Amino acid sequence: MSTKEILQVSDLTMAYGDIIIAENINFSVKKGEIFVILGGSGCGKSTLMRHMIGLEKPQLGDIFLCHQSIVTASYDERLGILQDIGVMFQGGALFGSMSLLENVSLPLEEFTDLPNNAIQRIATDKLHMVGLQGAEHLLPAEISGGMQKRAAIARAMVLDPQILFLDEPSAGLDPITSAELDKLIVNLANILGITFIIVSHELASIYAIADRVIMLDKAAKTIIAEGKPHYLRDNADDDRVRRFLQQGVAGERIH
Amino acid sequence: MEATETEIGPDSCQYNIIESTDKLIKIQLGGELSVHSSASVWQKFLDLQKQYQPEQFIIDANDIQYCDGAGVSLLIELREQQLNSNKQFSVLGLPQQFADLYKIISDLPTNTKPQNREEQISLIEEDNLIENVGHASLGFIDSLREGIAFLGEFTYQAWLTILKPRRMRWRDVPRIIEEVGPNAFPIIALMGFLIGIVMSFEAAIQMENFGATIYVPNLVGLALTRELGPLMAAILITGRSGSAFAAELGTMKINQEVDALHTMGLDPVIFLAMPRLFAVLFMTPVLYLEMVFFGLIGGAVVFHTLGYSFAIYINQLDSAVRMTDLLGGLVKCEVFGIVIASIGCMHGLRTRKGARSVGLSTTQAVVNGIILLIVMDGLFAIIYYALGI
Ligand SMILES: Nc1ncnc2c1ncn2[C@@H]1O[C@H](COP(=O)(O)OP(=O)(O)OP(=O)(O)O)[C@@H](O)[C@H]1O
Ligand SMILES: [Mg+2]
């Protein structure tokens, strides 16, 4: 494993009970890369993400984050690894009893010794970065689904983690907000060197930001393609991959 | 045999059974075969099919003016029934646009795989009926054991939190205290008062036979401080707050908020359950004392109607209820508080998927909570007896 590889998944088999969701999953992600996981609905993208962040135990195989296995990590090692990652869940998973600002401040309060005004400042800035000016004091139930997603992204990145996991960040966003989010992701990757692992269906966004993609398939129960999205669109061996990626040709965003 | 039926209306289906024997059923359809109008013929056709089990089933659709997805589904249902028993089925003269729809729906990959929920769910969960029955019967013991195990973990975490208070978010505690406590004041007062009245009244009737009504305060005082006060207060808090904890935490679980805590490296037991525990530990003694207070007032009212003065009431209480009785009650309350908070939070955090399971968790939190409270109360009776309290 080269030192540039910040995440490595090796020979992973994912299962719920006896039901295997996918097997023989191998890939690695370099620092600063924007890595996108594709695949049809129900093929196990969210499940893969849950494995990578240590919420599910692999049936087989191992996962390394920043060169440490999250599978065999002790409780304390695990806490160390978790400090380096941020996660946005598919549904947002904001804390319902807290305002957006409190949601975003929470990790700062729990894991830093910053004074209160610094915490407010940082949290507000993050909310502004995702375009949520003026909604700081609203509760999650009082804002739209797209706004919840963006607030969840703000919360995920508030500790400036090395790896950000985003499960369908732009699903449900309008094209303009989605493009702004893409710009933010690219900037964070380029300027701060944050690595992104993104589950996405939005082809326009994938072509705009992804350095590399993998595609999972429900029937094959494994990765059926890996590479740059433009290349795979025209050259993938597997017809399913080309078809998936070509659906978006018309909608491709122009930069 | 021939039958004709015609319904006239903007949205009606006319049919005409040309022939119905075990060789052939032929039905002429006309008008509109829509999601509304097909209701009147759906069962009739299927019954007819079942009755004759014809070699061939023919639908003459030349006069159909309109046919929607539901109409097509009827045709497909008939066809499937025929084909399944190796018989024949044909639709004649269905107008082109509806024939296209028929083709689209009948070309959908048919569901040869699991047809019912049990089989479909078995593909995503290793669950089966026998297991479920087994689980249900062992469920009670299991959940009691699990409850006690969680209770242990919970008490340990609480101990660590007392040693190192910074582990926990204390700022959540006041909000929870408010929900557990003040909102329960009126009902506790009412219940205490009524229990006091009922108990002393019943006691007075019996004691009158022996001319011992003077001892009514002794009975009321002891029963309230030692037994009924802690238990009734605890049961009430279980119903009000144990259930609320289970519902809140269960909702957080299904919204992935608990997962989010895990990935932030925050332990849900410390982050969510501990504040609730300390809120309950703070409030149970208060509610207990309130219940005792109002119970004694109820007793005093009855005692007064028996012709005794208030001073005698106090005097009798003073001679009967010792400080240890009150302390014993308070200790019970704190233990009951741990039970309530841990069972509520445990069931909340154990919630699986879907809104229904939140309801289930809530019910279980209340039922198992109350059972465990009563078991604990029994243990206390033994322990206090042994200690001579
Ligand atoms: N808790 C669970 N228990 C059992 N099976 C599960 C569970 N969660 C998901 N599954 C199964 O795992 C498979 C993959 O689910 P997953 O949520 O990972 O899909 P996905 O690729 O993220 O889909 P989508 O694009 O719709 O979000 C599904 O077939 C689902 O039935
Ligand atoms: Mg998903």
Side-chain angles (χ1 to χ4, degrees), chain A residues 16 21 39-48 56 90 167-168 199 201 218, chain B residues 124-125 353:
Chain A
Y16 286 111
I21 306 294
S41 189
C43 70
K45 304 181 295 297
S46 300
T47 305
L48 177 57
E56 308 282 351
Q90 195 163 357
D167 196 347
E168 305 202 8
V199 172
H201 289 300
K218 195 176 168 105
Chain B
I124 57 170
E125 280 176 6
K353 283 187 166 177

Side-chain angles (χ1 to χ4, degrees), chain A residues 47-195:
Chain A
T47 305
L48 177 57
M49 205 180 92
R50 292 176 64 82
H51 278 78
M52 290 190 284
I53 58 184
L55 284 177
E56 308 282 351
K57 278 255 173 275
Q59 195 175 63
L60 287 173
D62 211 339
I63 294 157
F64 299 89
L65 295 175
C66 310
H67 306 282
Q68 271 180 297
S69 164
I70 187 129
V71 180
T72 56
S74 69
Y75 183 76
D76 287 329
E77 287 169 344
R78 197 187 175 82
L79 285 187
I81 298 174
L82 291 175
Q83 301 274 300
D84 287 333
I85 69 173
V87 181
M88 189 214 85
F89 288 90
Q90 195 163 357
L94 295 171
F95 300 118
S97 60
M98 302 183 186
S99 72
L100 298 193
L101 191 62
E102 287 169 327
N103 261 287
V104 179
S105 311
L106 178 74
L108 294 169
E109 286 165 2
E110 292 295 321
F111 295 111
T112 70
D113 296 320
L114 288 167
N116 214 19
N117 55 354
I119 288 177
Q120 300 281 313
R121 171 84 258 159
I122 296 171
T124 313
D125 284 349
K126 299 285 170 181
L127 280 171
H128 291 187
M129 278 166 87
V130 295
L132 285 174
Q133 295 87 341
E136 293 90 342
H137 298 290
L138 299 179
L139 292 175
E142 293 163 345
I143 60 175
S144 75
M147 290 166 85
Q148 289 180 15
K149 283 214 154 151
R150 283 183 282 153
I153 294 174
R155 187 180 68 183
M157 65 186 196
V158 74
L159 286 177
D160 290 312
Q162 298 199 43
I163 313 178
L164 265 173
F165 293 88
L166 310 178
D167 196 347
E168 305 202 8
S170 43
L173 296 187
D174 63 274
I176 300 200
T177 317
S178 170
E180 274 164 12
L181 188 62
D182 288 346
K183 215 183 293 168
L184 176 70
I185 291 172
V186 171
N187 281 340
L188 290 174
N190 290 345
I191 299 169
L192 296 178
I194 296 178
T195 310

Side-chain angles (χ1 to χ4, degrees), chain B residues 135-154:
Chain B
H135 275 310
S137 42
L138 289 176
F140 173 70
I141 299 168
D142 255 5
S143 63
L144 204 66
R145 196 173 45 203
E146 210 177 330
I148 292 168
F150 192 83
L151 203 72
E153 148 93 13
F154 202 73

